[in-house]
Amino acid sequence: MRRLARRLLDSGPVVVLAAIAGAGSFTHIHDTATEHGQDGWMAWAVAVCVDLTCVMAARERQRDAATGRQRSGPVSWPALVLAGGVALSLAANLHQAEASVWGWLVAATPAGAFLIAVSMLERRAAASRPAPAPATVTASAASIPAPPMPELVPADAEGSGSAAGLPPALVTFARRVADEHHAKHGTPITAETLRARLGVSDQLATDLLRTLHAVPETA
């Protein structure tokens, strides 16, 4: 209940300001349309189109920011539409104003207040946007436990290992990698694949593969 009251106090004035400013701008646009040949419902339609276009463009800007959509140019299309709608509203307000500095300032107030309210709502939406969720590991990858990596022979030690003098831990690890490859692909592992998986030299990978083929797996 306290959170709801706080949200109403935070967003309420901005929403009321946007509604009042939109109503004032709406009236000026309607009167301007009526004076220029758009009688009856067409004058209301023009006013609705201009104001709802501004609202739609503002919401699209928020959606672009939420989804991380990149703009194709220096100004995004929603921002350009919003600027055009505010310019039309401002022009209608000034057209209905008294021909004086104060008349123009007072008449331009609804359009300016509407633009300020939209920017405030965008700031609120950006501040309340949740942080992106961390990437999750797929079930297939999570179901295969990663075997502990033994201390390997450096990859540049060409010819340093032989079938008779290979470290037992390295042979055991190579056998586990070969068994996993066979279980996943249904084919024996090759020396090139074993070399890439272990990060050893070509000669050492060949010796390991020869050892795996010569020595059967013990229970």
Side-chain angles (χ1 to χ4, degrees):
M1 187 67 181
R2 184 175 301 176
R3 173 182 286 184
L4 178 60
R6 185 182 306 165
R7 292 181 64 179
L8 289 176
L9 289 176
D10 289 342
S11 302
V14 181
V15 174
V16 172
L17 173 62
I20 295 176
S25 176
F26 182 88
T27 302
H28 286 160
I29 296 172
H30 170 269
D31 294 344
T32 301
T34 301
E35 293 176 3
H36 291 80
Q38 303 300 319
D39 299 328
W41 69 272
M42 278 301 300
W44 296 106
V46 172
V48 169
C49 288
V50 173
D51 282 349
L52 284 188
T53 297
C54 293
V55 175
M56 180 180 63
R59 289 294 299 160
E60 194 67 19
R61 278 170 51 87
Q62 295 179 12
R63 189 175 293 107
D64 287 352
T67 58
R69 181 184 301 172
Q70 296 181 352
R71 59 193 183 190
S72 57
V75 180
S76 65
W77 173 242
L80 187 62
V81 172
L82 179 61
V86 172
L88 283 176
S89 177
L90 182 60
N93 294 345
L94 294 179
H95 178 73
Q96 296 296 322
E98 178 186 280
S100 65
V101 175
W102 276 110
W104 293 327
L105 289 176
V106 172
T109 298
F114 180 78
L115 185 60
I116 292 174
V118 167
S119 65
M120 292 294 181
L121 291 176
E122 287 188 349
R123 291 183 75 253
R124 297 285 175 85
S128 62
R129 192 175 305 126
T136 57
V137 181
T138 60
S140 58
S143 61
I144 303 176
M149 186 68 176
E151 185 178 355
L152 302 181
V153 178
D156 58 350
E158 292 288 345
S160 61
S162 63
L166 296 175
L170 181 58
V171 174
T172 301
F173 181 72
R175 186 181 300 280
R176 295 182 62 179
V177 172
D179 291 343
E180 290 178 1
H181 179 87
H182 188 275
K184 183 177 181 181
H185 301 283
T187 57
I189 195 170
T190 62
E192 182 179 356
T193 304
L194 189 62
R195 178 192 62 78
R197 291 288 303 275
L198 300 182
V200 296
S201 64
D202 293 336
Q203 180 62 44
L204 186 52
T206 302
D207 292 342
L208 283 169
L209 191 60
R210 187 182 300 114
T211 301
L212 296 180
H213 290 165
V215 181
E217 183 178 1
T218 58

